[in-house]
Amino acid sequence: MTTFALVTATLFSSTTFAQVSPSDSDGQAVHKAVPVAQPLTLSEAIRLALQFSPQIVANQQELAASEGAVIQAGARPNPEVQALLEDTRRDSRTTTVQLSQPIELGGKRSARISVAEAARAQTAVDIEGRRAQIRADVADAFFAAAIAQERVKLAQASVDLSMRGTDAVSKRVQAGKVSAVDETRAKVAHAGVRLELLQAQSELRSARQGLAALLGPASAVRAQTLVWQSGVQPAARNLEASQLSDVPVLRQARLEVDKRQAMVELEEARRVPDVTLTLGAKRDQQVGRNQAVIGLAIPIPVLDTNRGNLLQALRLHDKAEADFQATRIRVETEWVQLTERQRFAQAEVDVLRSEVLPGAESAWQAATTGFELGKFSFLDALDAQRTLLQARAQYLRALNELYRTNANIDRLLGTSGEEQTTSKP
C-alpha cells in the first residue's frame, strides 16, 4: 500500500475520539503523557447537566414556595377578641367582652386557591420546559464538540498528507523530474492546511468549553473525551401542526389563561361583601347582671364595588388569550421551518455520504496513483486532495447542521434527543 493510500485509510477509518495531541509549528504531532478522562456519552452529559443546573434548583425552590402559596390561599380569616370598659368607677362600670369572626362570602377562598394552584402548575411546567431546554443545549454542545473533534482529525490527516506530498515533490525536484515551481506550490498548500489545523484546534477548545460550562466544574474534564457514533442520526418527526398543543411553551401560555380566569373569578367574588359575626357578654354593674351581646356587620358596597380591579382582571385575561394565540402561531411556524431544515440537512448528509464522498475518494486515489506513476502532475493530485478534504468538511458541516436542527426541535417539543435516533449505514 502506498503512502497516500495509507493516509486515505487513516482519514476514513471508523470514528473514535481521544485526547488530541498539540502540534508544533510544522504540524507534527507532539506526543505528551496526558491522562485520558472517562469517556462521556450524550445520556451521561444530559444527566450531569440536569444535576448541576442552578436554574433547575431555583425552579424547584420556586415550586416548593408555590406550595406555601396554595396553603396560604386556603387559610380562613382569624377571629378577633375585643374587650371594652365603660366608666372607670366600680359602681357604674360596664365591661364587655366579645368575639368577632369574619365570614367570607361569594367563594373568595376557593377562588384564591384556584389562582394559587394555577401558579403552581405554571411553575411545574416551567421546570419541565427548563429541563427540555437543558437537554437540547447539552445535545447541541455535545455534537458541536464531537464534530469539532472530527474536524481536528480531518485537519491533522490533511497536514500529514500534505507533508508527504511536499516531500514527494521535493524528491522529484531534486531528481529533475518536475520544476521548482511545483515544490513552492506544495509548500504553500502545506502552510494552508497547517493554518486549518490551528483553526480546527481552536474551535475544538471553544466547543469543549461550551459543553463543560453546562456540565459544571466537577464534570468539566469529562468533556475532553466523547463517545459518539456518526452512524446514529436524528430521525424525522411526523407531527401535524395541530398535534403541537402539548409543547411546554403552549402549555405555559394556556395555564396563564387559566390563572387569569381564576383571578377574574376572584375579583368578582370580592364584590360580594363579607359579614362579621360578633358574640360576647356584657356586665353592667348598675343593673347587676350579665347581658348577651350579638352583632352582625355587613359592609354596604356603595363607594367601593371593586369595579376597577375586576376591569383590570378582565383585560389581563383578554391579553393572556391573545398571547396564547400568538404563541400557538409562532410554535406552528417554527415547527414547519425546523422540519423543513431537518429534511434538507438529512438529504444533504445522505447525498454527501453515499455519492460525493465515495466519488471524491475514488478520484483522489486515481490522481495520487497516477502522480506516483508519472502520469499526472502534482497539481492534479493536489486538486483531487483538496476536493476530497472539502467534501469531507462539507459533510461534517451538514452533519452538524442536522444535529443542531434536531436540538432545536427537541427544545421546541420538550423531548430528549435520545428518544428519536436512527442508524445510517
Side-chain angles (χ1 to χ4, degrees), residues 19-84:
Q19 181 74 21
V20 178
S21 301
S23 300
D24 60 11
S25 59
D26 294 330
Q28 295 287 348
V30 179
H31 299 285
K32 297 181 179 180
V34 179
V36 179
Q38 183 179 0
L40 181 68
T41 62
L42 175 58
S43 59
E44 181 68 8
I46 291 175
R47 187 190 67 80
L48 292 173
L50 291 176
Q51 183 178 357
F52 161 74
S53 174
Q55 187 62 51
I56 292 294
V57 176
N59 288 350
Q60 289 174 344
Q61 295 300 326
E62 184 180 359
L63 180 60
S66 66
E67 294 288 345
V70 173
I71 294 174
Q72 186 61 37
R76 300 181 185 275
N78 290 321
E80 179 182 355
V81 177
Q82 187 177 20
L84 300 176

Side-chain angles (χ1 to χ4, degrees), residues 107-336:
K108 296 182 181 65
R109 179 172 175 270
S110 61
R112 286 198 309 269
I113 293 175
S114 297
V115 173
E117 288 178 343
R120 180 179 60 184
Q122 276 188 307
T123 304
V125 173
D126 189 42
I127 292 177
E128 182 180 342
R130 175 61 59 179
R131 293 176 68 88
Q133 176 78 27
I134 291 175
R135 289 196 300 265
D137 290 343
V138 171
D140 192 2
F142 182 91
F143 288 119
I147 296 297
Q149 286 188 130
E150 270 296 88
R151 287 197 181 103
V152 170
K153 291 177 59 180
L154 174 64
Q156 185 63 63
S158 178
V159 168
D160 295 340
L161 186 150
S162 178
M163 184 179 301
R164 288 168 174 77
T166 302
D167 293 341
V169 172
S170 298
K171 293 178 181 179
R172 284 176 173 267
V173 170
Q174 294 175 1
K177 296 182 179 180
V178 295
S179 67
V181 176
D182 288 340
E183 184 179 9
T184 302
R185 290 174 177 174
K187 290 181 179 180
V188 170
H190 179 63
V193 295
R194 281 165 49 200
L195 291 177
E196 291 178 1
L197 175 60
L198 294 176
Q199 182 180 2
Q201 290 174 339
S202 176
E203 293 176 354
L204 175 59
R205 288 191 293 269
S206 298
R208 283 174 171 172
Q209 290 174 358
L211 178 60
L214 297 173
L215 303 182
S219 305
V221 68
R222 300 192 60 184
Q224 304 299 315
T225 307
L226 308 181
V227 177
W228 171 65
Q229 295 180 353
S230 60
V232 179
Q233 298 178 11
R237 314 297 177 87
N238 297 319
L239 292 178
E240 298 294 335
S242 59
Q243 297 177 289
L244 299 175
S245 59
D246 201 42
V247 301
V249 64
L250 276 181
R251 291 170 58 191
Q252 186 80 334
R254 192 182 305 111
L255 285 172
E256 179 66 19
V257 174
D258 296 340
K259 186 178 76 172
R260 291 298 176 181
Q261 179 60 39
M263 294 180 69
V264 169
E265 295 174 357
L266 176 59
E267 297 301 335
E268 288 179 344
R270 285 174 175 170
R271 302 189 70 183
V272 179
D274 298 333
V275 300
T276 302
L277 179 63
T278 302
L279 297 175
K282 178 179 181 181
R283 175 68 179 180
D284 191 337
Q285 295 295 342
Q286 291 182 341
V287 177
R289 63 185 179 88
N290 296 330
Q291 297 173 320
V293 177
I294 302 176
L296 184 66
I298 303 178
I300 302 175
V302 176
L303 302 179
D304 183 7
T305 61
N306 203 42
R307 182 177 60 180
N309 290 335
L310 178 59
L311 178 61
Q312 181 187 31
L314 288 171
R315 297 293 79 82
L316 289 176
H317 176 266
D318 294 340
K319 176 182 179 299
E321 286 277 7
D323 288 341
F324 172 74
Q325 296 300 328
T327 302
R328 182 178 59 82
I329 294 174
R330 178 177 62 82
V331 167
E332 292 177 356
T333 302
E334 186 176 359
W335 167 252
V336 172

